[in-house]
Amino acid sequence: ADDLLPLIAPLLILASFGAVALRRAADNVIDWFAITAYCLLLAAAFAYFFAMHAGMPPKMATSVLRLTAGHVPPLDWARVAVAAAATALWLALVAWRLRRTSVAMWRGPALAAAGMVTLWTVFSSLFLGAVDHRRSFAAVALAVADEITRSGRPGDCVLPHYLRPSHLAVFAYHGGLRFASGDGGDCAFALHRDVAGSLLDDGEPPGRWTRIWEGHRPGAPQEAIRLYRRAID
């Protein structure tokens, strides 16, 4: 699925040329759906943001804390101002649309696109810190790097085992890990990723190893990251 992501942008561009050829009824459906859906989604985003920081209503606060792995980022008023400004622009666009009885044929697609951009801006401004805490490998990479420093030397070679290229990139970026370019026969450490729902990545790295550390991201307890040190004969 990840290999198909680059096709999304060109397909969207091709689809946009057909938007202006829609019948008026279909255009009106997109128009009013965009207004209703994005207004409700924006209201929900601000409601959950308030619940995350204020703790009320309790059910909403519990839901958002479960989704963010219990992390509440510090309140950043600059980000809140960006979200509020984006929402104000969206409401101004909606008010302009409601006041006009006859507008261009591209009104529906334009409103839908503006609503999507506004929702993305609001969500990124209000919840990016919490999502980053739940999904990011930064804390895990730093913990692995600290363990390598304690058990060996900084910059020691690490053999990747069942790690994707994206994992190699984030561990190298956040933790400064130096991964083996070949078979890793001279590496002092090995890093293994094991997903609980799969049997294909259960095998340990080839050779004699001793497990010295294990952890996972806050939002992915089913994904274990294990660090091994080569056993000394």
Side-chain angles (χ1 to χ4, degrees):
D2 294 343
D3 297 335
L4 299 178
L5 288 178
L7 296 177
I8 294 178
L11 288 176
L12 287 175
I13 294 174
L14 289 175
S16 64
F17 288 101
V20 296
L22 292 173
R23 294 182 178 180
R24 180 171 295 276
D27 193 28
N28 287 334
V29 169
I30 298 176
D31 194 3
W32 288 105
F33 174 80
I35 294 175
T36 305
Y38 287 116
C39 284
L40 291 176
L41 289 173
L42 289 170
F46 278 99
Y48 275 102
F49 177 75
F50 178 81
M52 180 173 64
H53 286 276
M56 55 183 299
K59 289 186 178 180
M60 293 182 68
T62 301
S63 298
V64 73
L65 288 176
R66 183 176 65 252
L67 292 174
T68 60
H71 176 69
V72 178
L75 188 60
D76 189 339
W77 288 107
R79 291 180 176 271
V80 176
V82 171
T87 304
L89 290 175
W90 163 252
L91 294 177
L93 180 61
V94 171
W96 168 82
R97 165 62 189 91
L98 295 178
R99 289 197 305 267
R100 299 291 296 270
T101 57
S102 177
V103 293
M105 64 177 65
W106 43 261
R107 63 185 183 183
L111 275 173
M116 177 62 71
V117 171
T118 304
L119 183 62
W120 177 85
T121 303
V122 170
F123 184 86
S124 299
S125 301
L126 300 182
F127 298 102
L128 186 59
V131 173
D132 186 64
H133 170 80
R134 175 183 172 87
R135 303 294 298 177
S136 176
F137 279 94
V140 177
L142 291 174
V144 170
D146 290 341
E147 188 61 36
I148 290 176
T149 301
R150 284 195 297 267
S151 303
R153 295 173 301 176
D156 273 340
C157 175
V158 179
L159 171 67
H161 191 59
Y162 293 121
L163 292 178
R164 299 175 181 173
S166 58
H167 297 134
L168 302 183
V170 295
F171 276 99
Y173 177 79
H174 292 292
L177 273 63
R178 183 174 68 86
F179 289 101
S181 57
D183 59 2
D186 58 343
C187 288
F189 296 92
L191 192 63
H192 175 213
R193 174 177 174 265
D194 181 13
V195 180
S198 174
L199 299 177
L200 301 177
D201 53 9
D202 290 345
E204 295 185 352
R208 297 181 57 200
W209 301 90
T210 301
R211 186 190 303 177
I212 60 174
W213 182 88
E214 180 174 345
H216 60 81
R217 290 177 291 167
Q222 76 284 357
E223 178 189 54
I225 304 296
R226 301 188 181 104
L227 179 65
Y228 294 84
R229 183 174 58 193
R230 189 177 295 277
I232 301 177
D233 295 330

